[in-house]
Amino acid sequence: MEHKKTLTFLNYAAILSIFFFSGGGTFMNAAMETMIQAWPELSVTMVRMVTSLPCLVSLPVAILTGRLAGSKISYRFCAVFGTILILVGGVAPFFFDKSWIMILVFRTLLGIGVGFSGMRNALIINSVPEEKKSAMIGYGSSAMNACAMIAGPVVGILAGISWKAPFLYNLLAVFALLLVTFYLKEPEKVTGSEPKTGAESENVAERRKKGGGEKNPEGWKILVYIALQFILTMALYPVLSGMSTYMAAKNIGSPFMAGISTFVYGLFGVLINLVLNRLIGFFRQYMLPAMCLCFSIGMAMVVYLPVLPAVRLPFGRFTKYTQGHPVMAITGCPWVYFILSPSCQISFLIFQKK
């Protein structure tokens, strides 16, 4: 079997750059209230499509490119073409600011570009040496979270200039485009391996035959788990995207403060991930119920205590500005996006029992 190409630092940087704008559809969250005020003739739902439409479009595109990348189309094409769409679709609304329909058209292009970046983990698996795959996937997740964290306060500052200025944040995609254009290597295809002997082939066939009749006893639980995660993620997203509107309605913060709240949310999610293994060891099979309960408490404090005094924590020097939202940041790991009712908590508790 052929060895994978030797990758340089810039090659790895090019791979990681694909993660930077993977959450590009949500970067305008802190500017939502500013846009709503700038377009009073439009419904709030129509204005919120600035963030919801790219996410909606990116899902089917990601599924499609995930099936075609590496076979029908190259990973490199997906990365370059997707980044171009993110750049054009992300920045163009700043210039085409007279028509909301045109703005949504460009946001659709951005969503398509984000969908093309859905092959990022597959790219790592097929191009990075075995001993570095896990680390690279972790670095990629960190890069995606870091970019979203930076976007919050920066977009908030730009929203203080004008409603359309936040779209200029997407100009940073130029750096990702340069990296993937000049330094992203297409993974080598595996040309073959040592042929199996007759006995080995029979053993493989026998194992497959035996495995084919086995059923996964956890199958139904996984399906219910996925359904719950889907429903509860949809319940959470309006809270994150509507934080600027919420702060304005409660008169507790500006777009910049809404951006800071997003920054803190991501920051504490990353910090909690650093000790995630210890948390799993402590809570064991009750990990998900515990985290979901903690998250629910945080969400309740955001809703019912919107003028909560500063939360003093060793890591949270920005928390005094966000009036309660840091609680959601502290309790919300990036991979635990749930707002749970008691029935959902009981369901997860049952699923975790052996």
Side-chain angles (χ1 to χ4, degrees), residues 298-330:
M299 287 300 303
M301 296 180 74
V302 171
V303 174
Y304 295 110
L305 299 173
V307 291
L308 187 69
V311 179
R312 301 291 182 178
L313 287 172
F315 303 107
R317 67 189 186 98
F318 290 111
T319 57
K320 61 182 179 180
Y321 299 115
T322 53
Q323 304 291 338
H325 188 50
V327 179
M328 187 170 70
I330 296 163

mmCIF file of all heavy atoms in Angstrom, residues 298-330:
data_model
loop_
_atom_site.group_PDB
_atom_site.id
_atom_site.type_symbol
_atom_site.label_atom_id
_atom_site.label_comp_id
_atom_site.label_asym_id
_atom_site.label_seq_id
_atom_site.Cartn_x
_atom_site.Cartn_y
_atom_site.Cartn_z
ATOM 1 N N GLY A 298 -28.809 26.871 33.046
ATOM 2 C CA GLY A 298 -28.233 28.067 32.432
ATOM 3 C C GLY A 298 -29.244 28.802 31.565
ATOM 4 O O GLY A 298 -29.355 30.030 31.610
ATOM 5 N N MET A 299 -30.001 28.044 30.761
ATOM 6 C CA MET A 299 -30.999 28.657 29.905
ATOM 7 C C MET A 299 -32.096 29.320 30.735
ATOM 8 O O MET A 299 -32.582 30.401 30.398
ATOM 9 C CB MET A 299 -31.604 27.611 28.983
ATOM 10 C CG MET A 299 -30.676 27.153 27.877
ATOM 11 S SD MET A 299 -30.152 28.493 26.791
ATOM 12 C CE MET A 299 -31.736 29.095 26.227
ATOM 13 N N ALA A 300 -32.483 28.697 31.827
ATOM 14 C CA ALA A 300 -33.514 29.276 32.690
ATOM 15 C C ALA A 300 -33.035 30.595 33.291
ATOM 16 O O ALA A 300 -33.812 31.565 33.404
ATOM 17 C CB ALA A 300 -33.879 28.287 33.797
ATOM 18 N N MET A 301 -31.767 30.673 33.645
ATOM 19 C CA MET A 301 -31.217 31.907 34.208
ATOM 20 C C MET A 301 -31.173 33.007 33.164
ATOM 21 O O MET A 301 -31.391 34.186 33.477
ATOM 22 C CB MET A 301 -29.832 31.628 34.787
ATOM 23 C CG MET A 301 -29.842 30.665 35.956
ATOM 24 S SD MET A 301 -28.201 30.330 36.649
ATOM 25 C CE MET A 301 -27.878 31.853 37.521
ATOM 26 N N VAL A 302 -30.890 32.637 31.918
ATOM 27 C CA VAL A 302 -30.893 33.633 30.842
ATOM 28 C C VAL A 302 -32.289 34.216 30.667
ATOM 29 O O VAL A 302 -32.476 35.416 30.483
ATOM 30 C CB VAL A 302 -30.412 32.999 29.519
ATOM 31 C CG1 VAL A 302 -30.610 33.961 28.353
ATOM 32 C CG2 VAL A 302 -28.943 32.610 29.614
ATOM 33 N N VAL A 303 -33.310 33.347 30.745
ATOM 34 C CA VAL A 303 -34.685 33.776 30.493
ATOM 35 C C VAL A 303 -35.276 34.520 31.684
ATOM 36 O O VAL A 303 -35.892 35.582 31.532
ATOM 37 C CB VAL A 303 -35.564 32.561 30.144
ATOM 38 C CG1 VAL A 303 -37.028 32.969 30.029
ATOM 39 C CG2 VAL A 303 -35.084 31.928 28.843
ATOM 40 N N TYR A 304 -35.077 33.990 32.893
ATOM 41 C CA TYR A 304 -35.767 34.526 34.055
ATOM 42 C C TYR A 304 -34.933 35.525 34.865
ATOM 43 O O TYR A 304 -35.472 36.237 35.699
ATOM 44 C CB TYR A 304 -36.201 33.383 34.974
ATOM 45 C CG TYR A 304 -37.229 32.487 34.328
ATOM 46 C CD1 TYR A 304 -36.903 31.189 33.957
ATOM 47 C CD2 TYR A 304 -38.519 32.946 34.060
ATOM 48 C CE1 TYR A 304 -37.833 30.363 33.350
ATOM 49 C CE2 TYR A 304 -39.455 32.131 33.454
ATOM 50 C CZ TYR A 304 -39.110 30.837 33.095
ATOM 51 O OH TYR A 304 -40.031 30.031 32.487
ATOM 52 N N LEU A 305 -33.631 35.565 34.631
ATOM 53 C CA LEU A 305 -32.778 36.523 35.334
ATOM 54 C C LEU A 305 -31.961 37.327 34.331
ATOM 55 O O LEU A 305 -30.727 37.284 34.337
ATOM 56 C CB LEU A 305 -31.845 35.798 36.314
ATOM 57 C CG LEU A 305 -32.525 34.998 37.432
ATOM 58 C CD1 LEU A 305 -31.475 34.211 38.209
ATOM 59 C CD2 LEU A 305 -33.307 35.928 38.354
ATOM 60 N N PRO A 306 -32.611 38.087 33.457
ATOM 61 C CA PRO A 306 -31.879 38.815 32.416
ATOM 62 C C PRO A 306 -31.050 39.974 32.939
ATOM 63 O O PRO A 306 -30.268 40.553 32.201
ATOM 64 C CB PRO A 306 -32.997 39.319 31.499
ATOM 65 C CG PRO A 306 -34.187 39.433 32.390
ATOM 66 C CD PRO A 306 -34.059 38.291 33.360
ATOM 67 N N VAL A 307 -31.221 40.332 34.222
ATOM 68 C CA VAL A 307 -30.398 41.387 34.802
ATOM 69 C C VAL A 307 -29.503 40.802 35.887
ATOM 70 O O VAL A 307 -29.154 41.453 36.860
ATOM 71 C CB VAL A 307 -31.265 42.520 35.382
ATOM 72 C CG1 VAL A 307 -31.951 43.264 34.255
ATOM 73 C CG2 VAL A 307 -32.298 41.981 36.366
ATOM 74 N N LEU A 308 -29.137 39.538 35.699
ATOM 75 C CA LEU A 308 -28.275 38.857 36.663
ATOM 76 C C LEU A 308 -26.958 39.618 36.832
ATOM 77 O O LEU A 308 -26.337 40.021 35.855
ATOM 78 C CB LEU A 308 -27.971 37.447 36.165
ATOM 79 C CG LEU A 308 -27.215 36.523 37.112
ATOM 80 C CD1 LEU A 308 -28.090 36.157 38.287
ATOM 81 C CD2 LEU A 308 -26.765 35.281 36.365
ATOM 82 N N PRO A 309 -26.513 39.838 38.076
ATOM 83 C CA PRO A 309 -25.226 40.511 38.285
ATOM 84 C C PRO A 309 -24.081 39.723 37.676
ATOM 85 O O PRO A 309 -24.245 38.582 37.253
ATOM 86 C CB PRO A 309 -25.104 40.559 39.815
ATOM 87 C CG PRO A 309 -26.499 40.409 40.316
ATOM 88 C CD PRO A 309 -27.192 39.523 39.319
ATOM 89 N N ALA A 310 -22.936 40.355 37.654
ATOM 90 C CA ALA A 310 -21.765 39.749 37.040
ATOM 91 C C ALA A 310 -21.482 38.377 37.639
ATOM 92 O O ALA A 310 -21.554 38.179 38.841
ATOM 93 C CB ALA A 310 -20.550 40.647 37.240
ATOM 94 N N VAL A 311 -21.156 37.430 36.762
ATOM 95 C CA VAL A 311 -20.778 36.091 37.194
ATOM 96 C C VAL A 311 -19.264 36.056 37.326
ATOM 97 O O VAL A 311 -18.551 36.224 36.345
ATOM 98 C CB VAL A 311 -21.248 35.029 36.177
ATOM 99 C CG1 VAL A 311 -20.814 33.645 36.639
ATOM 100 C CG2 VAL A 311 -22.757 35.079 36.020
ATOM 101 N N ARG A 312 -18.771 35.889 38.524
ATOM 102 C CA ARG A 312 -17.331 35.925 38.774
ATOM 103 C C ARG A 312 -16.748 34.519 38.668
ATOM 104 O O ARG A 312 -17.039 33.657 39.478
ATOM 105 C CB ARG A 312 -17.053 36.481 40.174
ATOM 106 C CG ARG A 312 -17.595 37.879 40.370
ATOM 107 C CD ARG A 312 -16.835 38.893 39.534
ATOM 108 N NE ARG A 312 -17.340 40.250 39.756
ATOM 109 C CZ ARG A 312 -16.835 41.319 39.175
ATOM 110 N NH1 ARG A 312 -15.824 41.193 38.319
ATOM 111 N NH2 ARG A 312 -17.335 42.501 39.414
ATOM 112 N N LEU A 313 -15.927 34.312 37.675
ATOM 113 C CA LEU A 313 -15.265 33.031 37.486
ATOM 114 C C LEU A 313 -13.818 33.285 37.087
ATOM 115 O O LEU A 313 -13.504 34.303 36.467
ATOM 116 C CB LEU A 313 -15.960 32.210 36.397
ATOM 117 C CG LEU A 313 -17.315 31.604 36.777
ATOM 118 C CD1 LEU A 313 -17.951 30.988 35.548
ATOM 119 C CD2 LEU A 313 -17.155 30.563 37.855
ATOM 120 N N PRO A 314 -12.912 32.379 37.429
ATOM 121 C CA PRO A 314 -11.499 32.579 37.116
ATOM 122 C C PRO A 314 -11.242 32.822 35.633
ATOM 123 O O PRO A 314 -10.335 33.563 35.278
ATOM 124 C CB PRO A 314 -10.844 31.272 37.582
ATOM 125 C CG PRO A 314 -11.774 30.702 38.581
ATOM 126 C CD PRO A 314 -13.139 31.129 38.156
ATOM 127 N N PHE A 315 -12.006 32.163 34.752
ATOM 128 C CA PHE A 315 -11.734 32.263 33.333
ATOM 129 C C PHE A 315 -12.542 33.369 32.655
ATOM 130 O O PHE A 315 -12.328 33.646 31.493
ATOM 131 C CB PHE A 315 -12.061 30.943 32.630
ATOM 132 C CG PHE A 315 -11.335 29.788 33.193
ATOM 133 C CD1 PHE A 315 -11.996 28.846 33.957
ATOM 134 C CD2 PHE A 315 -9.975 29.630 32.985
ATOM 135 C CE1 PHE A 315 -11.323 27.764 34.481
ATOM 136 C CE2 PHE A 315 -9.292 28.549 33.513
ATOM 137 C CZ PHE A 315 -9.963 27.615 34.265
ATOM 138 N N GLY A 316 -13.482 34.005 33.372
ATOM 139 C CA GLY A 316 -14.478 34.818 32.693
ATOM 140 C C GLY A 316 -14.338 36.308 32.898
ATOM 141 O O GLY A 316 -15.221 36.931 33.470
ATOM 142 N N ARG A 317 -13.286 36.931 32.426
ATOM 143 C CA ARG A 317 -13.149 38.364 32.634
ATOM 144 C C ARG A 317 -14.119 39.162 31.781
ATOM 145 O O ARG A 317 -14.329 40.341 32.008
ATOM 146 C CB ARG A 317 -11.709 38.831 32.362
ATOM 147 C CG ARG A 317 -11.249 38.742 30.928
ATOM 148 C CD ARG A 317 -9.747 39.013 30.858
ATOM 149 N NE ARG A 317 -9.255 39.078 29.493
ATOM 150 C CZ ARG A 317 -9.060 40.201 28.848
ATOM 151 N NH1 ARG A 317 -9.331 41.354 29.421
ATOM 152 N NH2 ARG A 317 -8.592 40.195 27.613
ATOM 153 N N PHE A 318 -14.731 38.519 30.761
ATOM 154 C CA PHE A 318 -15.716 39.214 29.950
ATOM 155 C C PHE A 318 -17.135 39.015 30.473
ATOM 156 O O PHE A 318 -18.066 39.633 29.966
ATOM 157 C CB PHE A 318 -15.665 38.725 28.502
ATOM 158 C CG PHE A 318 -14.434 39.137 27.763
ATOM 159 C CD1 PHE A 318 -13.496 38.197 27.398
ATOM 160 C CD2 PHE A 318 -14.213 40.462 27.432
ATOM 161 C CE1 PHE A 318 -12.364 38.558 26.713
ATOM 162 C CE2 PHE A 318 -13.071 40.836 26.744
ATOM 163 C CZ PHE A 318 -12.139 39.892 26.387
ATOM 164 N N THR A 319 -17.294 38.170 31.471
ATOM 165 C CA THR A 319 -18.642 37.800 31.874
ATOM 166 C C THR A 319 -19.418 38.965 32.466
ATOM 167 O O THR A 319 -20.640 38.969 32.410
ATOM 168 C CB THR A 319 -18.609 36.658 32.900
ATOM 169 O OG1 THR A 319 -17.822 37.074 34.020
ATOM 170 C CG2 THR A 319 -18.019 35.417 32.303
ATOM 171 N N LYS A 320 -18.756 39.954 33.004
ATOM 172 C CA LYS A 320 -19.483 41.048 33.636
ATOM 173 C C LYS A 320 -20.257 41.889 32.624
ATOM 174 O O LYS A 320 -21.138 42.673 33.001
ATOM 175 C CB LYS A 320 -18.509 41.952 34.392
ATOM 176 C CG LYS A 320 -17.453 42.609 33.495
ATOM 177 C CD LYS A 320 -16.498 43.440 34.336
ATOM 178 C CE LYS A 320 -15.420 44.098 33.481
ATOM 179 N NZ LYS A 320 -14.497 44.896 34.285
ATOM 180 N N TYR A 321 -19.962 41.697 31.343
ATOM 181 C CA TYR A 321 -20.640 42.489 30.328
ATOM 182 C C TYR A 321 -21.885 41.821 29.766
ATOM 183 O O TYR A 321 -22.640 42.458 29.046
ATOM 184 C CB TYR A 321 -19.689 42.771 29.161
ATOM 185 C CG TYR A 321 -18.462 43.549 29.525
ATOM 186 C CD1 TYR A 321 -17.206 42.955 29.418
ATOM 187 C CD2 TYR A 321 -18.552 44.855 29.978
ATOM 188 C CE1 TYR A 321 -16.073 43.657 29.748
ATOM 189 C CE2 TYR A 321 -17.414 45.566 30.307
ATOM 190 C CZ TYR A 321 -16.177 44.968 30.197
ATOM 191 O OH TYR A 321 -15.057 45.656 30.533
ATOM 192 N N THR A 322 -22.065 40.547 30.040
ATOM 193 C CA THR A 322 -23.060 39.812 29.272
ATOM 194 C C THR A 322 -24.346 39.520 30.020
ATOM 195 O O THR A 322 -25.226 38.870 29.484
ATOM 196 C CB THR A 322 -22.452 38.492 28.771
ATOM 197 O OG1 THR A 322 -21.913 37.803 29.880
ATOM 198 C CG2 THR A 322 -21.370 38.744 27.768
ATOM 199 N N GLN A 323 -24.496 39.997 31.245
ATOM 200 C CA GLN A 323 -25.768 40.010 31.947
ATOM 201 C C GLN A 323 -26.490 38.668 31.950
ATOM 202 O O GLN A 323 -27.636 38.554 31.544
ATOM 203 C CB GLN A 323 -26.674 41.080 31.324
ATOM 204 C CG GLN A 323 -26.078 42.465 31.306
ATOM 205 C CD GLN A 323 -25.949 43.071 32.690
ATOM 206 O OE1 GLN A 323 -26.641 42.655 33.610
ATOM 207 N NE2 GLN A 323 -25.076 44.034 32.840
ATOM 208 N N GLY A 324 -25.803 37.606 32.347
ATOM 209 C CA GLY A 324 -26.479 36.328 32.527
ATOM 210 C C GLY A 324 -26.187 35.318 31.446
ATOM 211 O O GLY A 324 -26.235 34.128 31.689
ATOM 212 N N HIS A 325 -25.903 35.768 30.233
ATOM 213 C CA HIS A 325 -25.639 34.816 29.151
ATOM 214 C C HIS A 325 -24.411 33.960 29.413
ATOM 215 O O HIS A 325 -24.351 32.831 28.943
ATOM 216 C CB HIS A 325 -25.493 35.573 27.837
ATOM 217 C CG HIS A 325 -25.421 34.686 26.640
ATOM 218 N ND1 HIS A 325 -26.341 33.673 26.416
ATOM 219 C CD2 HIS A 325 -24.550 34.638 25.619
ATOM 220 C CE1 HIS A 325 -26.042 33.063 25.299
ATOM 221 N NE2 HIS A 325 -24.967 33.625 24.796
ATOM 222 N N PRO A 326 -23.383 34.440 30.173
ATOM 223 C CA PRO A 326 -22.247 33.573 30.467
ATOM 224 C C PRO A 326 -22.637 32.270 31.129
ATOM 225 O O PRO A 326 -21.939 31.280 31.009
ATOM 226 C CB PRO A 326 -21.380 34.422 31.404
ATOM 227 C CG PRO A 326 -21.712 35.806 31.026
ATOM 228 C CD PRO A 326 -23.169 35.799 30.681
ATOM 229 N N VAL A 327 -23.755 32.262 31.852
ATOM 230 C CA VAL A 327 -24.176 31.016 32.492
ATOM 231 C C VAL A 327 -24.431 29.965 31.423
ATOM 232 O O VAL A 327 -24.045 28.814 31.553
ATOM 233 C CB VAL A 327 -25.446 31.250 33.330
ATOM 234 C CG1 VAL A 327 -25.904 29.950 33.982
ATOM 235 C CG2 VAL A 327 -25.172 32.301 34.406
ATOM 236 N N MET A 328 -25.068 30.386 30.328
ATOM 237 C CA MET A 328 -25.278 29.456 29.229
ATOM 238 C C MET A 328 -23.933 29.063 28.626
ATOM 239 O O MET A 328 -23.726 27.922 28.234
ATOM 240 C CB MET A 328 -26.173 30.079 28.152
ATOM 241 C CG MET A 328 -26.556 29.088 27.064
ATOM 242 S SD MET A 328 -27.815 29.709 25.954
ATOM 243 C CE MET A 328 -26.919 30.951 25.063
ATOM 244 N N ALA A 329 -23.010 30.023 28.564
ATOM 245 C CA ALA A 329 -21.694 29.720 28.020
ATOM 246 C C ALA A 329 -20.977 28.680 28.872
ATOM 247 O O ALA A 329 -20.380 27.744 28.370
ATOM 248 C CB ALA A 329 -20.856 30.994 27.962
ATOM 249 N N ILE A 330 -21.063 28.846 30.187
ATOM 250 C CA ILE A 330 -20.355 27.946 31.093
ATOM 251 C C ILE A 330 -20.938 26.545 31.026
ATOM 252 O O ILE A 330 -20.223 25.559 31.055
ATOM 253 C CB ILE A 330 -20.441 28.493 32.527
ATOM 254 C CG1 ILE A 330 -19.709 29.842 32.594
ATOM 255 C CG2 ILE A 330 -19.845 27.530 33.526
ATOM 256 C CD1 ILE A 330 -20.058 30.649 33.807
#
